[in-house]
């Protein structure tokens, strides 16, 4: 049995920690993210390793400026900018045996590192993590934040909606024991998305524990417009399909519901078009599927939008529908050999420990942690 959280304490000689970030196109949020790390009250040694991918903005310049201002920060250039490859690069350069993962568009809560490391020591877990807390600046972002914090928008995973402290399938970001991470081969560079879930699955399969603590909170900044949100969730759905192909036993209702909704809504619309074009009246009943779904989204959004504010609440149904339908469409599409949208194709090698994969090529994307 582990001690109660109130009784947790760091060892007299706290382990040194390396905070690792894979960043790309993070000009807006990187400074705040790193400053929150450096402001942690952790009593042991702390370093920050930034693996910076090719960016269309000033991310690399900002990272180098941060390193100039604080010797605890080191900057590496990641040639591909692919999240798992950048993370493996950062792990290789990190000097310490406790590895704290942070995203360039997230901010640690006060005391996060101290509490997480104390949990890691007390539980013996391979990975300790907590909740993603989406916080928006604009009405659209606030609507996305609310959708991402409720089962209506993104399902009931504890790291999104909260839950009991204890072992969990996955957590947001995480604080790792290096020996456990290296024993399973690190991040699998095949998984451009869903790499956190896939890594935690391998850790658990190897007999390790992934530990969820709801009091560990990390602020996440949502996408700022509908197009970016749809792109994010479409790609997340694509890579969730790849996870299910690799680990068929993980296919559950939560992951199959969005593609089922896409098929039902799309099929219903197609029947209505057929009925309206060729005359039979019965296909018009197909309109019940999209109408029922739309009604469910509107009613559900009204329930979860309490206290959100009118400007964000009015956007919430469209945000929820975008998340559902883009994710489901991406799942149905899956990862193809050539995914459009990249300036150039990048080959993603498999991690040494990974089983045989279907070779795929996909576009580099802004680092994201999505379940």
């Amino acid at each position: 049995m582990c001690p109660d959280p109130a009784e947790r304490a760091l060892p007299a000689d706290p382990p040194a920690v390396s905070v690792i970030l894979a960043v790309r196109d993070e000009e807006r949020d990187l400074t705040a993210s790193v400053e929150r790390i450096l402001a942690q009250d952790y009593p042991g040694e702390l370093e920050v390793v930034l693996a910076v991918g090719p960016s269309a903005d000033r991310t690399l310049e900002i990272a180098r400026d941060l390193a100039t201002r604080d010797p605890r920060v080191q900057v590496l250039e990641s040639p591909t900018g692919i999240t798992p490859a950048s993370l493996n690069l950062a792990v290789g350069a990190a000097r310490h045996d406790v590895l704290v993962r942070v995203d360039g568009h997230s901010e640690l809560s006060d005391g996060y590192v101290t509490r997480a490391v104390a949990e890691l020591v007390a539980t013996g877990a391979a990975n300790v993590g907590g909740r993603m807390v989406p916080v928006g600046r604009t009405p659209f972002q606030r609507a996305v934040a609310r959708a991402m914090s409720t089962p209506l928008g993104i399902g009931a995973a504890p790291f999104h909606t909260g839950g009991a402290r204890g072992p969990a399938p996955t957590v947001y970001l995480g604080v790792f024991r290096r020996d456990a991470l290296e024993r399973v081969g690190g991040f699998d560079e095949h998984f451009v998305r869903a790499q956190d879930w896939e890594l935690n699955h391998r850790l658990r399969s190897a007999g390790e524990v992934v530990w969820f603590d709801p009091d560990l909170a990390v602020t996440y900044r949502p996408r700022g417009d509908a197009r970016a949100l749809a792109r994010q969730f479409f790609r997340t759905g694509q890579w969730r399909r790849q996870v299910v192909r690799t680990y068929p036993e993980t296919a559950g209702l939560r992951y199959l519901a969005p593609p089922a909704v896409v098929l039902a809504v799309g099929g219903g619309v197609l029947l209505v078009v057929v009925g309206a074009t060729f005359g039979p009246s019965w296909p018009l009943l197909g309109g019940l599927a999209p109408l029922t779904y739309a009604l469910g989204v509107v009613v559900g959004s009204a329930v979860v939008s309490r206290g959100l504010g009118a400007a964000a609440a009015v956007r919430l149904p469209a945000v929820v529908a975008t998340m559902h339908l883009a994710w489901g469409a991406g799942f149905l599409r899956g990862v193809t050999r050539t995914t459009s949208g990249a300036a150039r194709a990048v080959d993603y090698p498999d991690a040494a420990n990974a089983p045989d994969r279907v070779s795929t090529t996909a576009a580099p994307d802004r680092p994201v942690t999505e379940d």
Side-chain angles (χ1 to χ4, degrees):
M1 295 289 291
C2 333
D4 183 88
E7 300 173 5
R8 280 207 196 356
L10 287 169
D13 183 18
V17 303
S18 296
V19 183
I20 59 172
L21 297 87
V23 296
R24 180 175 181 268
D25 293 328
E26 295 287 4
E27 177 181 22
R28 185 186 65 180
D29 298 314
L30 182 58
T31 297
S33 179
V34 172
E35 287 179 347
R36 289 294 297 170
I37 297 167
L38 297 174
Q40 291 285 303
D41 61 356
Y42 188 68
E45 186 178 351
L46 180 146
E47 69 168 354
V48 179
V49 183
L50 300 173
V52 183
S55 300
D57 61 13
R58 299 175 53 251
T59 297
L60 182 58
E61 179 185 341
I62 292 169
R64 287 173 172 165
D65 179 64
L66 290 165
T68 299
R69 288 192 276 135
D70 195 309
R72 291 176 292 174
V73 179
Q74 65 166 307
V75 178
L76 312 169
E77 292 192 50
S78 176
T80 66
I82 304 308
T83 302
S86 297
L87 289 170
N88 284 337
L89 186 67
V91 170
R95 296 184 294 117
H96 305 311
D97 290 332
V98 174
L99 303 166
V100 179
R101 187 185 166 193
V102 178
D103 276 342
H105 48 284
S106 60
E107 298 176 20
L108 300 184
S109 57
D110 292 339
Y112 178 93
V113 174
T114 297
R115 182 182 177 96
V117 174
E119 288 270 307
L120 195 73
V121 172
T123 62
N127 182 17
V128 169
R131 294 179 297 116
M132 171 196 284
V133 182
V135 177
R137 297 183 176 99
T138 66
F140 181 86
Q141 285 184 318
R142 290 195 289 273
V144 175
R146 180 61 59 89
M148 294 182 73
S149 304
T150 66
L152 174 68
I154 206 165
F159 79 87
H160 284 301
T161 59
R165 175 180 155 270
T170 192
V171 292
Y172 183 49
L173 301 175
V175 177
F176 298 86
R177 292 188 353 249
R178 179 192 286 273
D179 66 308
L181 184 63
E182 292 183 344
R183 184 160 70 89
V184 298
F187 291 89
D188 186 341
E189 296 179 15
H190 171 80
F191 284 95
V192 176
R193 298 251 180 164
Q195 66 277 153
D196 297 287
W197 187 97
E198 193 277 338
L199 171 61
N200 286 319
H201 182 76
R202 279 188 287 121
L203 286 168
R204 291 185 293 108
S205 298
E208 298 284 357
V209 172
V210 176
W211 191 265
F212 174 72
D213 180 352
D215 292 328
L216 290 172
V218 182
T219 298
Y220 169 83
R221 298 295 181 185
R223 297 298 193 267
D225 58 66
R227 181 177 180 181
L229 181 70
R231 182 171 178 262
Q232 174 191 3
F233 274 78
F234 182 84
R235 292 193 172 184
T236 301
Q238 285 184 291
W239 284 96
R240 175 55 60 180
R241 170 73 174 274
Q242 192 71 2
V243 168
V244 170
R245 288 179 62 190
T246 307
Y247 306 104
E249 72 277 10
T250 67
L253 179 62
R254 180 179 168 223
Y255 302 126
L256 299 179
V261 167
V262 171
L263 291 174
V265 170
V269 171
L270 181 61
L271 285 174
V272 169
V273 171
V274 169
T277 303
F278 298 104
S281 59
W282 67 264
L284 297 177
L285 293 174
L288 291 174
L291 288 175
T292 300
Y293 172 72
L295 179 62
V297 167
V298 170
V299 172
S301 297
V303 171
V304 303
S305 66
R306 293 171 184 170
L308 184 58
V314 75
R315 291 167 169 81
L316 187 57
V319 163
V320 169
T322 297
M323 290 164 60
H324 290 173
L325 298 177
W327 200 104
F331 188 95
L332 292 170
R333 175 70 167 130
V335 177
T336 58
R337 189 171 295 273
T338 55
T339 299
S340 62
R344 60 186 179 87
V346 180
D347 292 328
Y348 302 107
D350 292 345
N353 67 295
D356 291 340
R357 311 281 193 207
V358 176
S359 175
T360 57
T361 302
D365 200 9
R366 178 186 179 196
V368 66
T369 302
E370 280 298 343
D371 184 35

